[in-house]
Amino acid sequence: MMSDPSGNSRRNFVKQVSVGVLASLAIPQLVSAGKMAVDTKMRLEKDDIILFQGDSITDWGRNPKETKASTSGMLGNSYPLIAAAGILSTYPDKNLHVYNKGVSGNKVYQLADRWDDDCLALKPTVISILVGVNDLFHAIRNGYTGTIETYRTDYKKLLDRTKQALPDVKLIIGEPFLTKGIRPESENWYPRFAAFQATAREMADTYGAAFIPYQQIFDNALDTAPAKYWSLDGIHPSVAGAGLMAKAWLETVNA
């Protein structure tokens, strides 16, 4: 993902996510805005090792030098932190270990470049992946030559490699998304972006993964509050937007 709007945004985000904010995620407006059934659900098991992977939407302020699971330094300041808080507080008896290895700016091939160290070496039992905006954004703005076929091929190779190394791993695939009404130029991305979103769903169907339809979740949220309430810049979620993402993620694993 392109870098976040300001360096301070990521560092200061966690200061805004107080216990009160986490508790407020159940307010009726937020529940209504984020209500969306996922295609497949899974149950977390005792001793599960959960890994969040992706770009800056996932990275968002984590400390890349942190090695200990389930810490604020490891988890960053966005939806992985809120989702981890939810499962760790709900299932204290399961001995869950949660990691975040998202890296700002990453496209699928860059996940693959670091997959041995940042995924397979951790031996995760659950992997949650959200990637795709950069695969289009950098093609439009920064001269990246990858296409939708590149995205599909690279994603498939990554998941094949993952399943070969970790045959019993449970997968969660997030739909890449944009929040409409903030970046005027992004309206021109949608005909092409829809193919990336469809491919993410295709990967979920092919590999038996849970699929989280983030685009529809954010589209629905616009019925309750303006785009700027849910997103900082049309790409990176606000605290409220991160709450929507975490809520959907928690619904995926709370079956």
Side-chain angles (χ1 to χ4, degrees), residues 196-219:
F196 288 81
Q197 295 172 321
T199 297
R201 182 181 287 274
E202 174 191 334
M203 294 300 105
D205 292 343
T206 300
Y207 292 89
F211 181 77
I212 305 180
Y214 285 126
Q215 186 64 65
Q216 189 166 356
I217 289 169
F218 275 85
D219 288 350

Side-chain angles (χ1 to χ4, degrees), residues 121-250:
L122 298 172
K123 300 187 184 303
T125 55
V126 178
I127 304 175
S128 178
I129 305 174
L130 173 59
V131 66
V133 169
N134 285 310
D135 295 79
L136 177 59
F137 176 83
H138 287 288
I140 292 173
R141 297 282 295 273
N142 296 323
Y144 174 57
T145 59
T147 66
I148 181 59
E149 288 305 323
T150 307
Y151 178 70
R152 178 180 287 107
T153 299
D154 287 353
Y155 216 150
K156 188 175 188 304
K157 286 181 179 178
L158 184 71
L159 295 178
D160 283 342
R161 175 179 165 195
T162 303
K163 280 291 193 177
Q164 183 175 8
L166 305 167
D168 296 324
V169 72
K170 295 170 282 189
L171 297 171
I172 300 170
I173 292 179
E175 179 183 33
F177 65 94
L178 296 168
T179 305
K180 301 175 182 178
I182 296 179
R183 302 173 70 96
E185 77 275 17
S186 69
E187 294 300 321
N188 298 323
W189 300 1
Y190 278 99
R192 293 171 64 182
F193 195 42
F196 288 81
Q197 295 172 321
T199 297
R201 182 181 287 274
E202 174 191 334
M203 294 300 105
D205 292 343
T206 300
Y207 292 89
F211 181 77
I212 305 180
Y214 285 126
Q215 186 64 65
Q216 189 166 356
I217 289 169
F218 275 85
D219 288 350
N220 290 348
L222 298 181
D223 292 337
T224 63
K228 275 289 190 178
Y229 183 81
W230 303 111
S231 177
L232 299 176
D233 59 2
I235 293 176
H236 302 92
S238 64
V239 172
L244 284 183
M245 296 179 70
K247 179 181 182 295
W249 196 93
L250 290 168

Side-chain angles (χ1 to χ4, degrees), residues 4 6-17 60-61 77 239:
D4 53 287
S6 77
N8 290 331
S9 293
R10 291 204 281 189
R11 289 188 291 272
N12 294 336
F13 189 100
V14 70
K15 296 176 184 178
Q16 304 173 47
V17 188
W60 209 249
N77 307 323
V239 172

Side-chain angles (χ1 to χ4, degrees), residues 1 19 32 38 47 63 78-79 81 89 92-94 99 107 112 122 127 139 145 153 157 198 202 208 213 229 255:
M1 176 68 54
V19 173
S32 176
V38 295
D47 301 319
N63 179 359
S78 191
Y79 79 97
L81 172 67
S89 60
D93 58 326
K94 288 187 181 289
Y99 293 88
K107 297 171 276 295
L122 298 172
I127 304 175
T145 59
T153 299
K157 286 181 179 178
E202 174 191 334
Y229 183 81

